[in-house]
Amino acid sequence: MCYELCSINHAGLIIFDCTEKEFYNQDFSSGIPSQVFSEDVKELKKVLDVLQHSGDTKETNFRIKRMDGTILYLTGSVTMIADANEKDGKETIQQVIYDVTQRVKSEEKRRQGLLEEASTDYLTGLLTRRYAFQKINKCLDEDKGYGFLIIDADNFKFVNDTYGHSKGDEVLAALANILRGTFRFTDICARIGGDEFIVFLTNETSGSSLEERIQHIISEFQKALKELKVDGPIGISIGGVYGRGATTLEELYEYADKLLYYVKVLIRLKKL
């Protein structure tokens, strides 16, 4: 079916950001303005096809790109109107549209905020366990070198019992800042619960580099404790794995957790 443009009001011209002449000069044979996103044209054509047979009012949602390059989100209704005065049997399509760009952007911002809230630990700003594990699993599908660390605060209960939970929160936040400063933006740092953290290093090519970072974390954590004026039997233990090739997160975690346990045993033996 071939369409002709009958009229567009002033509000419509403002939405499409063009003059009446510019709007009328475009090819309107498909019934769809050229400014409409190509991804949305197919759905609009379906609406027009349905109208030819049903004559009902149909709801539409689509995007346009204006003359100045800005993108608008539009919604509205399309109605087929039979004109009894038309001898040639032509029918008129009336479309009422509304600019809902601000509403759509507000909703997208709200959804993004909820996503960030769900993926970010409220205390440290690091990733949550669930979100971090999802990202790590994706990385493990690639045949690249990697490093994996489990970091655990030793005797952390001592801090909470002696200095209070607010001071304990400061210690955890300080450790999170150390991890952020030690690793790259592409690495995955997360607090997976209580006083336990993990780091997944992407594209890691050197086991010695991993060991250097572990020593750096331990050293910086001791400095942070002094700055926070926390004294006592507290430190951190780190179990680390370096490798390349296909594996599973469960295998990595199990191996690193065993190493972490051995580290804790050695620390206890040194204190005897």
Side-chain angles (χ1 to χ4, degrees), residues 4 6 81-92:
E4 295 179 8
C6 297
I81 303 173
D83 191 343
N85 295 322
E86 287 286 354
K87 295 180 180 180
D88 56 5
K90 286 185 178 180
E91 293 180 314
T92 301

Side-chain angles (χ1 to χ4, degrees), residues 142-197:
E142 303 174 6
D143 184 22
K144 295 180 180 179
Y146 55 80
F148 183 73
L149 304 177
I150 300 178
I151 303 107
D152 187 58
D154 299 322
N155 300 316
F156 184 71
K157 186 176 182 297
F158 168 83
V159 179
N160 286 332
D161 293 344
T162 306
Y163 297 94
H165 287 275
S166 60
K167 181 63 70 172
D169 289 347
E170 290 181 30
V171 171
L172 294 177
L175 178 53
N177 287 332
I178 292 169
L179 296 180
R180 262 191 294 267
T182 303
F183 299 99
R184 301 160 297 181
F185 179 76
T186 54
D187 297 329
I188 300 168
C189 301
R191 179 190 178 202
I192 61 174
D195 55 4
E196 190 172 359
F197 298 77

Side-chain angles (χ1 to χ4, degrees), residues 59-78:
E59 298 299 317
T60 59
N61 295 284
F62 59 95
R63 298 159 296 171
I64 65 168
K65 187 172 184 179
R66 302 170 72 188
M67 300 285 285
D68 61 2
T70 58
I71 296 171
L72 295 186
Y73 293 80
L74 306 179
T75 188
S77 59
V78 184

Side-chain angles (χ1 to χ4, degrees), residues 1 3-7 48 51 55 78-84 86 89-95:
M1 185 174 182
Y3 297 89
E4 295 179 8
L5 179 63
C6 297
S7 65
L48 293 177
L51 282 175
V78 184
T79 307
M80 184 76 77
I81 303 173
D83 191 343
E86 287 286 354
K90 286 185 178 180
E91 293 180 314
T92 301
I93 291 178
Q94 174 180 281
Q95 182 166 18

